[in-house]
Amino acid sequence: MASSIGMMDSAYFVGRNEILTWINNRLQLNLSRIEEAASGAVQCQMMDMTYPGVVPMHKVNFDAKTEYDMIQNYKVLQDVFNKLKIEKHIEVGRLVKGRPLDNLEFLQWLKRYCDSVNGGIMNENYNPVERRGSKGGNRNVKGVKSSKSLQTNTMNHSGSGDSLSTNRTFGSKQLRSSGGSDGANASADIQALSKQVSDLKLSVDHLEKERDFYFAKLRDIEILCQASELEEDPMSLAIKKILYAADAKGSALDEAQEYLNEVINGVEGEGEGGGEGEVEVEAETET
């Protein structure tokens, strides 16, 4: 399965927002950037969720900050791949550098692979927070939603309920005294702006997918034009003039059409010249 996921597979057109949502929802994390998963710990736990018990989670270091510690995590992951006979080479040297594109590409592959196992159905009995703590002690991992801290925050909020309610009452009195309509208008504006932000995020995600889709089409055309049997073909050369144009103006299309017209006219001219030569030869023969 792993070897069948090529670079032109749809897996590599999944956006970073979708990848981050997939990681955060499954592992109860709160990652905001792809490079936060560069340590390899997230990838190890994704495989642990897909194949429960296969990954020795006590060897996975979620606090890895140095390249040495990150490499140890990827060694664990590579051992798991070898055990499961997954033919996937991990570019550890690139991933530990924290480069967003390299890490995004690997996570796109990982998502595609995990989704192919059991139809991508999540194991409901899997507790990601508990598995991360299997080494013992609480981990101070950036982005981890700790259940204990959530409980503490809930208790703090409930314990300060009286003061909050007092502040709200005092604030409402102030609003009534200074004009409650201003507060209502501000709340309506906030809601409207929040909706605009949500709509813009959806638009951006849609545009990213559309961009990737058309880029893949252009890449296919480029590969076809670079084939040895078509590389010097006039049509291929005209297409490459458009593909490699430095600007987005219509001059590239005009230039390509002009080139094709020159080639066509040149071929027709050679044909006519050849015909006249044949007539002359025939005339000389008759004489």
Side-chain angles (χ1 to χ4, degrees), residues 151-166:
Q151 292 175 357
T152 304
N153 290 335
T154 304
M155 291 176 63
N156 289 337
H157 283 304
S158 62
S160 59
D162 293 339
S163 61
L164 284 173
S165 114
T166 303

Side-chain angles (χ1 to χ4, degrees), residues 263-280:
V263 172
I264 293 172
N265 292 335
V267 171
E268 290 178 351
E270 290 177 1
E272 292 175 358
E276 292 176 356
E278 290 176 1
V279 172
E280 292 176 359

Side-chain angles (χ1 to χ4, degrees), residues 239-256:
I239 291 173
K240 284 190 283 189
K241 284 181 180 292
I242 298 174
L243 288 177
Y244 301 147
D247 53 29
K249 298 179 181 179
S251 58
L253 177 60
D254 296 338
E255 184 180 348

Side-chain angles (χ1 to χ4, degrees), residues 16-17 20 24 29-37 142-143:
R16 63 181 182 278
N17 290 333
L20 289 171
N24 291 335
L29 296 173
N30 192 24
L31 304 184
S32 58
R33 297 181 301 168
I34 289 293
E35 51 267 38
E36 290 177 21
K142 180 181 179 181

Side-chain angles (χ1 to χ4, degrees), residues 205-222:
D205 289 341
H206 176 73
L207 289 172
E208 284 182 350
K209 290 180 180 178
E210 189 174 7
R211 175 203 63 192
D212 294 340
F213 173 80
Y214 287 112
F215 177 80
K217 295 295 182 185
L218 290 173
R219 178 58 181 154
D220 289 343
I221 294 171
E222 182 184 32

